[in-house]
Amino acid sequence: HGAVKTEEEQKRLDTLRQLCERLGGNMQVAEADSRKSIRRALLQRMNEVHATQLIIGQSRRPLWYTLFKETVVHYLLRTARHMDMLIVADFDPSIKE
């Protein structure tokens, strides 16, 4: 089943997809059952397509949270040592160049 996206969320995804394609990448969107399954599903998919690079957004979690819980970014840095990763700042499509 697919989650219903707001118009703003869909606009954000469309903008990111266009940027990804302009840079020669392939953006894929998938849903996960839980926050913990996101990181495993992402790593599994990256391995299936033999990804060599990953661009991922920074965690929106507060710093104190990352002291007690492992974020998706930390998990990938620890487990996906076979690929290059670029962690980018939070993206806001309403900001114009």
Side-chain angles (χ1 to χ4, degrees):
H1 71 88
V4 177
K5 292 179 184 51
T6 65
E7 187 176 330
E8 182 179 324
E9 289 170 333
Q10 189 59 53
K11 179 181 177 184
R12 185 180 178 109
L13 283 174
D14 291 344
T15 302
L16 288 171
R17 183 180 309 281
Q18 290 169 4
L19 175 60
C20 184
E21 289 171 356
R22 208 170 60 215
L23 296 172
N26 177 6
M27 180 175 147
Q28 297 184 14
V29 178
E31 293 182 34
D33 297 330
S34 69
R35 286 191 182 273
K36 284 200 170 203
S37 68
I38 290 172
R39 57 191 186 186
R40 288 190 299 271
L42 182 57
L43 183 60
Q44 179 181 342
R45 185 64 183 143
M46 290 186 310
N47 288 333
E48 287 171 358
V49 299
H50 306 289
T52 57
Q53 297 180 348
L54 172 70
I55 300 173
I56 190 166
Q58 68 185 12
S59 175
R60 291 184 176 187
R61 301 274 185 190
L63 180 59
W64 64 265
Y65 181 90
T66 64
L67 298 175
F68 302 104
K69 303 254 186 201
E70 185 176 52
T71 65
V72 172
V73 170
H74 289 125
Y75 172 82
L76 291 173
L77 286 171
R78 184 172 55 79
T79 58
R81 297 184 178 271
H82 57 286
M83 69 181 65
D84 295 331
M85 282 183 255
L86 174 62
I87 303 165
V88 297
D90 193 17
F91 171 74
D92 184 351
S94 64
I95 297 175
K96 302 296 180 200
E97 294 179 42

